[in-house]
Amino acid sequence: MADDDNEVWITGLGLVSSLGEGCEEHWQKLGSGGSIEPVIENEAFSPYPVHPLVELDFTKQISGRSDLRQMGKWQKLGTYTAGMALDDAGISGNEELLSKTNMIVAAGGGERDMGVDASLLETAGKPSGGEEARNEILMNDLRPTHFLSELSNLLAGNISIVHGVIGSSRTFMGEEMAGFSAVEVAARRIQGQQGELFLVGGAFNAEREDMLLQLDVGSTLLTDTYARLWQRQSAGGGMVLGSASAFLVLESKRHAMARGAKPYARLSAIVSGRSNRIDNQTAARQQFDALSNDISPGSLAYLSGACGIEAVTRHELALVADLNDSGYEVALRGFGSVLGQSVEAHFPAGLVLGALAASKGQFYDPFDTSGAEQITSNNAEQVIVTTWGAFSGEGMALVEKIS
Amino acid sequence: MSQELLDDKGRPVVVLTGFGLVTPLGRGRQDNWRELVNGTSGISKITRFSTEGLNTKIAGTVDTGDMAHLSGQARALALAIESAVEAIAQANIGTPGSFPGPLFLATPPATLEWTHRKALYTHASDDNAAGYERLLKAARSGKFNELYGLYQYGGVGDELADKLGTRGLPISLSTACASGASAIQLGVEAIRRGDTQVALCIGTDGSVTVEGLVRFSLLSALSTQNDLPEKASKPFSKNRDGFVMSEGSAAFVFETYENARARGAEILGVMRGCGERADNFHRTRSKPDGSANIGAIQNTLDDAGVGIDEIDYINAHGTSTPENDKMEYLSLKAVFGDRLTNIPISSNKSMIGHTLTAAGAIEAAFSFLTIQNNIVPPTINYDMPDPDIELDIVPNKSRAANVSMVLSDSFGFGGQNVCLVLAAEPA
C-alpha cells in the first residue's frame, strides 16, 4: 500500500438515481432500518423495465440556459452530480483547487436523435432505400449541435465549462469497466504522486431506446417481468438498466489534511483484471486474496455490482459462497437491485454507497428478498465493492472507515 | 539504479522500442515516411459511400484490402491490429499473442452504423412496427448478437486485448482530437509510477462514415474544397477553410530504459514528457487568451524538464481550421516568444488530413521518424501565407535538419489539450 501521506481519501460524494438525489436521501432509503422498494418503470419502454431518474431541477447545478440547451440528458445528469461532489468536497468555486483538479469521467455516448433515426429508417431503411435519400435526411434534419450532446468526451467538457474543473480532463470508455478504471487510475496516480486531487465518476441515462438497443442487441436485458438481481436466474437472467450518476472527489491524505477536508473513507485497495469469462470465479478469488491481508476475518460487508446476466452473476455468487466457506460471513448486497444497472456510473455508484456506509460504520439492510442477502452484522468499517463488466472485466475495491 | 535510467525528477526514463503506422499514405512506417517527406497528399474523393447531397465529399481513407467495406468500428479494430503487429514485431517483445504489459487505447465512440441499423430494420419484412420499436424487436430475435461486442464502447479494446494478449484490463479512452496523445500519456504514467515495465499505446480511428462526415460537416468544421482534394488541407494558410477527415492508426511499445537495455532492445527514442490542461471556455472553441493551450504546452515542457531552447521542431496540431491554427500560433508564440520563428514547425495533417482519435498517436509516430531521419516533413498546400501567422512552416518541401527534441501538440473539442515532448536517445 502507498505511503501514509499518499493514501487515497474520498472527500466528496455525489449520487443521483431513481431513488433520489444526494447521499442522505439514499442513506435514509437504503441504510439500516430502511425498507426499500425499487422504483421501476414498466410501461414506457415495454418490454424492458427500467429504473427512471428521479425528477431533478438541473438549474440547481447548471445555471446557464444555453449550457442546458446544449447538453444531452446524460450530460446534464453527470454535470449535475459532479457539481454535487465538488460542493460536498468544498471545491466548488475555489479556482485554485479547480485548476489542479484532474478529472477522469467514464462515458458511453449521448442520446441519438431518434426522430431523425426513425425517419431515416422509414424513408431509406427499406431494402430498396437509397443512399441519396439517407444523405438528404442527415443533412437537413440533424441539428448541427446535436453531435456535441452525443460525443463521449463532452460530459467531461461540460463539467469543465459549468464547474470550472481545468486541471485535466480524460474520458474513459468501456461500459462498467470504464467506471472502474476511472477510479483505479485516479487512485494509482495519487499513490504514485502523479496528482493530488481528482474528480471521478460517470452518468448513465437508461431511459433511451437507442441505449436499450445497443445493449439488447446482445440479448443482455431482462424483459417482461421485473425481478431483483438474485431472482432473475430462473428467467434466464438479464440486466435492468437504471438511470444514475455518481461522482467522487479523491485526494491524497496529505492534500486533504492540509486543506482541512473531511474524509468519508479511505480507498485502501483497488484491483482489476480481465478473465477469460470461463473461470472468472478463480480470477475474482485471486483479486480478493490480493486484498485480504487488509481485511479482518468474520463479517464482511460486500457491495456487489452484479449485473444480473446469468453466467457472470452465477460466478459472483459462487465467489461469495467460496468466501463463506473460507470463514467469512459475507453480508452480500447487490446494489443493482435498487439502482439498476447504470453501466459507466455503476461502479462509482457502488463506491459512493460503500464510502457512505464506511463513514457511518453501518451497513445496509438487504436489497433483495430471496435470502441470498443475509444480515450477518451491521458493521461496515470495511466494505468491499465489486463490479464485473456485463461484457468483460472484473474489479474489486476496499473502502475503510478512517478512525 | 544508475543515473541515466532515471530522469531529472527521479522517475524511470521511458523509451520507445517499437512502433507501427497505417494512414491514407500507406501501410507501415517505411511507406508512410517515404510519402510524407515527398509531400504526398493522402486525401481523395470518397468512394466507399455516396456523397450525393453532402457539402464535403473528400477524406483521407484507408481503402486497400478489405478496409473500405468494414464498419467504422471494425475498421478501427483492423487498423489498430495492423499498427500494433508492426510495433510489437519491431520491439521484438513477448511471444505471439502474449504482450507483457497493459493496453492503452484511443478509439472512437461506438454507435450502431447505418448498414447494421438497416439490417435490423429489414430483418422482419412483414413487421408493421416503426423506428426503434422495430429495431428492438429485431434485436430480441437474438439473431444479431455478433454486433454486440463490436458496438460496446470497450469492444475494440477488448478484442485487441484478446488478439494481442495484453495484460490486465485494457483502458479505452476518448479525449476527442487529443485521444492519441492521451493514450501515450496514460502509458507513460503507468510506467513511471512502476505499475508496469512495458506498455502498448495505440490510437486508432476508422470514422470516415457518412454519419461521421455529416456531423462534422454540420458543425462547419470541414473543408468543402471538393474539386482538388489533395489541396484541401492547408494548415496555416490564409484560405484554410476547415479540416479534412481521415483515418488510420499508430501503435507504440514503450518501456523503461532499464528493461529495454536489459533485454538488448534497440532504443528508437525517448518519451520525455506529457502535459495537459483542460479548457472551460466553450465546447468547440479555445479561451480567447489561449491560456489552456499555453498551459498544456508549458506543463509538457515542465514535465519533460526541457527549456524552450531545446525544442528543435514542433509537430503542430495544425488542423487547417481558421480557429485552431490561429490559436495554436498565438499559444506557441506566448510560450516560445521570439524564438518561435527559428523553430521549424509543420502539420502532418496537410498530407494525411485529421485522423481524429488517432491523430495524436500518428503524429507522435511521425515525430519519432523525424528524429530518426533528421528530416523535417513539410506543410504542403502552403500557397497563400496567412500574414497573421508568422511561423517557419517548412512550406511544401521537406528539409534536412538536426532534430533531437520535438514538441507535438494535440488540441481537441471539449477543451482537450495534450502535448508531448519526444526525444532522441540518450535521454
Side-chain angles (χ1 to χ4, degrees), chain A residues 177-208:
Chain A
M177 299 327 287
F180 194 91
S181 294
V183 176
E184 186 178 17
V185 169
R188 297 248 181 281
R189 287 176 63 194
I190 291 170
Q191 291 165 358
Q193 300 185 59
Q194 293 175 329
E196 294 192 296
L197 183 59
F198 285 81
L199 173 69
V200 296
F204 181 73
N205 177 10
E207 298 150 80
R208 293 164 49 192

Side-chain angles (χ1 to χ4, degrees), chain A residues 272-276 283 287 392-394, chain B residues 157-159 161-162 166 168-170:
Chain A
S272 65
R274 181 175 164 279
S275 81
N276 57 16
Q287 288 185 357
S392 174
E394 300 81 30
Chain B
D158 204 64
E159 191 74 24
D162 270 345
T166 53
L169 205 54

